[in-house]
Amino acid sequence: MQLHEQFGRRFCVSVDAEGYGGRDDCAQHDMQRTLVQLLDAAAARAKLDRTTWLRQGVGDEELSLVPLGPDEPRMVDDFPRQLDAELARYNRSRDPAERLRLRMALHVGVAYRADNGFAGQGVVVVSRLLNSAPVRSALKLAPAVNLALIVSDVVFTDVIGQGHTTLVADDFRRVEVSEKEYRATAWLRVPGTDVHRLDLVGAPDQPAGPTPEDARARPTGSGASRSGLVNNIFNNEVHADHATFGISGGVHG
């Protein structure tokens, strides 16, 4: 078969469980079985047919390629919602160390079967999203939640932004993903908590520090700005030949 005969765009779904490697063999076996059971149950409740998905499981992860079409809004809205509910039911009576918590990534792109699994940039992108710092840190910063969801910009724009789901833009937080060779904007949602309140380092809506444009935009006034600039006010004529103005000992000069 020629490569172009395998070409196709699909909805790419990837999930990964937190804390899998720290469990013993029996616990890992149980986690794998539970993961598949919960994904099956969530899909059924969301009215999605998992028998049409191309699925690749590796331990505590599953990567699925889903046909494009009318199911896409349910993939973004109902499926994560039902999966979060299934996780909540499963975790309700369990000790914290035994809970199953998941990261989930969604993207639409070129993806198809290959000789040793799946290939295509869609597969690469969804993998980078799943393993990115924003979604990993979100799960750690909100220990009570069961699921952290990250979607690519194309999914956010085409499915959520155009009103095809019950979700709204404010349910998500814009983040910048920098994972290996991949650099892109993505959108983060953490059901059960306000994602905008999480202290995600370097998120666009929480810049690491003021920019020169920020400093120039501030109203003129006395005192030092956070950027270290000083605004000096003089009420009368000042001759400042050869003079230097700055801060010395906390007193403005």
Side-chain angles (χ1 to χ4, degrees):
M1 179 181 292
Q2 296 296 317
L3 183 60
H4 70 270
E5 295 176 357
Q6 303 178 52
F7 179 91
R9 295 183 184 276
R10 290 178 174 83
F11 202 102
C12 305
V13 185
S14 190
V15 297
D16 189 11
E18 182 187 59
Y20 178 81
R23 308 192 185 204
D24 63 28
D25 293 352
C26 292
Q28 289 181 359
H29 180 274
D30 291 343
M31 180 181 281
Q32 289 188 30
R33 179 176 56 196
T34 300
L35 174 62
V36 174
Q37 290 174 344
L38 295 186
L39 290 171
D40 287 344
R45 289 180 179 272
K47 297 181 172 56
L48 297 168
D49 183 4
R50 290 245 295 165
T51 64
T52 66
W53 300 11
L54 301 178
R55 293 157 53 186
Q56 177 179 281
V58 182
D60 61 334
E61 299 181 36
E62 182 181 287
L63 170 61
S64 299
L65 307 184
V66 183
L68 297 181
D71 284 346
E72 291 179 53
R74 287 199 293 273
M75 292 296 306
V76 180
D77 191 344
D78 298 342
F79 186 46
R81 194 188 312 277
Q82 294 298 338
L83 181 57
D84 183 53
E86 292 293 334
L87 288 166
R89 281 189 283 270
Y90 176 80
N91 290 330
R92 187 174 297 133
S93 60
R94 283 173 170 76
D95 293 334
E98 297 177 346
R99 291 171 61 210
L100 177 58
R101 305 174 73 225
L102 299 178
R103 304 190 315 279
M104 184 179 197
L106 304 176
H107 175 59
V108 172
V110 174
Y112 47 84
R113 282 194 185 276
D115 291 341
N116 194 35
F118 298 146
Q121 284 303 304
V123 175
V124 174
V125 170
V126 80
S127 176
R128 299 296 181 257
L129 293 173
L130 184 70
N131 292 299
S132 65
V135 70
R136 284 183 177 275
S137 61
L139 209 57
K140 288 181 170 59
L141 291 167
V145 306
N146 301 301
L147 178 71
L149 169 68
I150 189 167
V151 305
S152 65
D153 193 50
V154 66
V155 169
F156 180 84
T157 300
D158 292 352
V159 183
I160 299 159
Q162 296 301 315
H164 297 295
T165 70
T166 63
L167 303 167
V168 296
D170 199 48
D171 292 329
F172 291 79
R173 177 172 174 179
R174 184 169 66 93
V175 295
E176 297 303 320
V177 171
S178 179
E179 182 69 15
K180 295 186 178 179
E181 76 292 342
Y182 182 71
R183 305 285 185 277
T185 295
W187 298 84
L188 183 66
R189 179 172 177 252
V190 184
T193 196
D194 184 352
V195 67
H196 301 283
R197 293 183 177 272
L198 298 180
D199 187 19
L200 301 176
V201 177
D205 54 338
Q206 288 187 327
T211 65
E213 289 75 14
D214 295 331
R216 286 195 292 270
R218 290 193 185 93
T220 302
S222 62
S225 70
R226 287 186 300 163
S227 64
L229 299 178
V230 176
N231 296 310
N232 295 290
I233 298 176
F234 302 100
N235 296 317
N236 297 304
E237 183 178 354
V238 175
H239 296 282
D241 294 343
H242 310 296
T244 300
F245 295 95
I247 298 176
S248 177
V251 178
H252 298 173

